[in-house]
Amino acid sequence: MPQTWDEEFDVVVVGSGGAGLTAAILAHDHGAKVAVVERSDKIGGTTAVSGGALWIPLNDTMAAGGRKDSRDEALAYCKRMAAGQTDDGLIETFIDSGHQMVRYLEERTPVTFAAWPIPDYHMELDGARPGGRSIEPELFRRSELGEWSDSLRDSPLRIPFSLHETIFQYQAHIKPRNLPADVFVERSKQGVLGGGGALIGRLLKSCLDRGIEIMLQTRARGLAREDVRVVGLHAERNGKEVRIAANGVVLASGGFEWNEQLKRQFLPGPVTHPNTPPSNEGDGLIMAAEAGAALGNMTEVWGSPSAAVPGEEYDGRQLSRLVVPERMCPHTILVNRAGRRFANEGASYNDLGKVFNDFDPVRFEHRNLPCWSIFDRQYRERYPVLTVFAGTPDPGWLMRAETLESLAEKAGIDAEGLTATVERWNNAVLQGEDAEFERHRSPIDLEAPHPSMGSIKEPPFYALPVHPGTLGTKGGPITNAKGQVVDVRGNVIPGLFAAGNVMAGISGPGYFGGGATIGLAMTWGYICGINAAKAAH
């Protein structure tokens, strides 16, 4: 029986983050009539609340800055980071297509990038580069979106500065007072956006300039199929079903980090504090599974040790913040309930997040959960704790005590273990070398002109609970090099494509460098947009 439709397009994109908007732009430019379907009332998804950087080997900004790169080096590095958990051909596709995607957007849209010269996250591996593969969007004025300006998703961490300014020029990630107040105020008045807001603003303007239709508060519920071919989308708007015909559907709806059932089914440990919009409940994953898609990389997330200020909410849910200076700056360590350190606190957020899954087979529990950041007065006088600036009065939610033993009792940490650990740490500080975890080697995330080691000996002492968080899950339907979703027998599901955190991430367990999440997402969005448009004709 023929299906009836409320609306008809050549290509429908589910999700309005970096992957989705890039797919929509490319599908339009390749001759398709395109619509973007967004579940929430805001545009931007996870990308909008991110730092907005892209990790792209061989990018033109890198070359223009005199930094050298090679395909072979990038390929060797990415393959090593993927740890054999993804198809090498897909990694090659990313390396060959990523810089083409960036060049295309810069030549044909308002999207422009600048260098963000941080090193790759594993400089000890072959093929890693000391800087240049990460790029960030230029600042953007919200007013350029006209009547759509209020529809752009705001980040709870938004400041009107670039990553380069924030981290390198002002070191505001560890000393937020360094940001010039007059510039902050003036840029805020002008509606200047940096980071993910700037990237989504520029991508959204590109879509609006092209007349691409964007449907807000329209939640994709299922794929319309004729036999195995996907021919459209069943969505819900204002409690009513909307049937949208399309010869190509691109899933770009983010991960499943807010879906408790899916997390229990697939993740190897708890992820209690997502750093993403709460609408990421795995809608695209569920629809793809219903269509018979093969799933891959389902146990992996973009890990991020996180903490929360009680009562601070975002979209009606507890807001979680990345723990950065609170674990990496001098005078801090991370300990588990036994009071023991368990990792180099200066490791990349993704790699440190994996240590939370360490399982004790005797006690039958996760060895490093719960976890705390331990620091002293020396830290509080110099560095922030989440929303609290250095040197300001301690907030009521921050646990403190005059002795380590009292602090351990309050937190539920083994007191003997904690005091012994702090003693070992202080001795290591005196020696200038962390023999246990090599923290004395420059931490990848700390861009500050001081060592990361410092004693913990001046009361009061503090304990901040640190939780397993995520910048998004990275498992979902497996795609081929054209972005087409394949079924459990490896056959293409005609008309179905996937990009971003909804798909099986080709980085396996790895995190290449700053911006790898968005770099991969937008590259696959670029690929999906081109091929979905071709399939629609």
Side-chain angles (χ1 to χ4, degrees):
M1 181 175 178
Q3 301 193 49
T4 58
W5 307 102
D6 297 304
E7 301 183 61
E8 297 186 21
F9 297 89
D10 297 319
V11 174
V12 171
V13 178
V14 181
S16 66
L21 297 185
T22 302
I25 291 166
L26 270 295
H28 171 276
D29 289 3
H30 283 77
K33 180 183 178 185
V34 184
V36 175
V37 172
E38 168 56 47
R39 168 179 168 172
S40 75
D41 64 346
K42 300 295 183 183
I43 297 164
T46 302
T47 308
V49 301
S50 74
L54 284 69
W55 190 87
I56 301 289
L58 304 166
N59 67 75
D60 291 346
T61 300
M62 186 178 189
R67 294 179 179 269
K68 295 182 179 180
D69 200 0
S70 78
R71 184 181 188 274
D72 288 345
E73 285 182 313
L75 189 58
Y77 178 70
C78 290
K79 284 183 178 180
R80 177 67 177 81
M81 291 292 288
Q85 292 188 26
T86 191
D87 181 84
D88 286 352
L90 297 183
I91 297 176
E92 292 186 33
T93 297
F94 166 60
I95 292 170
D96 293 337
S97 302
H99 60 95
Q100 295 177 8
M101 175 271 296
V102 170
R103 185 179 302 127
Y104 185 95
L105 292 177
E106 289 204 307
E107 290 178 349
R108 294 173 173 82
T109 77
V111 179
T112 55
F113 296 98
W116 183 38
I118 65 167
D120 293 343
Y121 281 177
H122 279 273
M123 284 302 299
E124 74 280 6
L125 299 182
D126 289 344
R129 302 299 300 162
R133 288 173 173 164
S134 295
I135 56 177
E136 65 167 319
E138 300 277 6
L139 298 176
F140 178 75
R141 278 188 170 83
R142 182 189 289 269
S143 59
E144 293 187 44
L145 297 174
E147 62 183 14
W148 283 86
S149 62
D150 291 338
S151 297
L152 181 64
R153 176 173 289 280
D154 274 326
S155 168
L157 313 177
R158 174 171 59 89
I159 58 174
F161 292 89
S162 68
L163 289 169
H164 187 275
E165 289 174 320
T166 302
I167 295 175
F168 291 103
Q169 186 172 344
Y170 300 117
Q171 296 177 2
H173 60 309
I174 57 174
K175 296 183 178 181
R177 282 198 175 105
N178 283 359
L179 288 174
D182 56 340
V183 177
F184 190 107
V185 171
E186 184 59 29
R187 287 185 181 179
S188 296
K189 287 180 179 178
Q190 296 174 359
V192 172
L193 301 175
L199 179 57
I200 290 298
R202 291 179 178 277
L203 288 169
L204 175 56
K205 188 173 190 309
S206 305
C207 290
L208 298 175
D209 289 346
R210 286 163 166 77
I212 294 171
E213 184 163 347
I214 298 174
M215 306 178 189
L216 298 179
Q217 296 180 288
T218 304
R219 184 175 183 180
R221 287 294 195 179
L223 298 168
R225 288 178 286 164
E226 292 179 357
D227 194 15
V228 297
R229 168 172 280 280
V230 173
V231 295
L233 189 70
H234 296 293
E236 181 182 329
R237 186 189 302 143
N238 298 324
K240 297 181 180 180
E241 182 183 17
V242 180
R243 293 161 295 184
I244 307 171
N247 292 321
V249 172
V250 179
L251 300 176
S253 52
F256 59 88
E257 61 272 13
W258 287 92
N259 187 312
E260 297 303 320
Q261 179 182 348
L262 291 176
K263 286 192 292 184
R264 285 194 300 269
Q265 286 178 318
F266 294 111
L267 299 185
V271 174
T272 56
H273 286 64
N275 306 115
T276 62
S279 54
N280 287 352
E281 293 186 302
D283 291 357
L285 167 64
I286 293 169
M287 292 189 292
E290 288 176 333
L295 304 181
N297 216 42
M298 291 298 297
T299 60
E300 297 293 341
V301 304
W302 305 100
S304 57
S306 301
V309 175
E312 192 177 31
E313 293 188 346
Y314 183 71
D315 280 6
R317 303 293 290 271
Q318 173 69 58
L319 172 66
S320 298
R321 295 175 176 271
L322 272 67
V323 171
V324 180
E326 300 88 353
R327 65 178 171 89
M328 303 177 68
C329 282
H331 315 294
T332 67
I333 56 174
L334 293 181
V335 303
N336 57 23
R337 66 166 69 86
R340 296 173 182 164
R341 293 177 66 219
F342 51 86
N344 175 359
E345 295 89 350
S348 84
Y349 37 90
N350 184 65
D351 297 335
L352 190 55
K354 295 181 185 305
V355 190
F356 290 143
N357 295 327
D358 185 18
F359 197 79
D360 185 336
V362 176
R363 296 181 178 273
F364 208 75
E365 61 190 8
H366 287 92
R367 199 186 313 269
N368 300 320
L369 292 174
C371 162
W372 294 264
S373 170
I374 303 296
F375 47 95
D376 69 354
R377 180 171 60 85
Q378 296 177 92
Y379 177 91
R380 279 291 289 122
E381 289 178 346
R382 293 171 174 84
Y383 307 107
V385 181
L386 302 183
T387 59
V388 182
F389 284 5
T392 58
D394 294 332
W397 48 261
L398 182 58
M399 196 180 307
R400 59 172 280 176
E402 291 302 311
T403 67
L404 286 170
E405 291 82 359
S406 297
L407 186 70
E409 183 178 356
K410 284 185 176 182
I413 303 171
D414 181 85
E416 289 186 10
L418 179 60
T419 54
T421 293
V422 171
E423 183 178 357
R424 283 195 304 274
W425 172 254
N426 288 342
N427 287 333
V429 172
L430 287 174
Q431 296 167 8
E433 181 176 340
D434 173 19
E436 285 188 280
F437 299 108
E438 300 189 350
R439 169 112 167 246
H440 59 282
R441 301 190 184 280
S442 299
I444 196 69
D445 286 343
L446 186 60
E447 302 293 344
H450 53 64
S452 68
M453 297 177 68
S455 63
I456 301 174
K457 62 182 182 182
E458 298 187 11
F461 301 97
Y462 300 87
L464 175 71
V466 177
H467 308 279
T470 179
L471 307 178
T473 54
K474 54 194 302 191
I478 295 173
T479 74
N480 61 19
K482 293 183 178 180
Q484 297 168 299
V485 175
V486 300
D487 67 17
V488 292
R489 296 187 180 276
N491 300 311
V492 167
I493 300 176
L496 186 60
F497 303 79
N501 286 351
V502 73
M503 66 179 276
I506 70 159
S507 62
Y511 204 129
F512 306 140
T517 308
I518 301 176
L520 286 164
M522 289 178 59
T523 298
W524 241 253
Y526 170 85
I527 292 168
C528 286
I530 293 171
N531 290 298
K534 289 180 179 178
H537 296 297

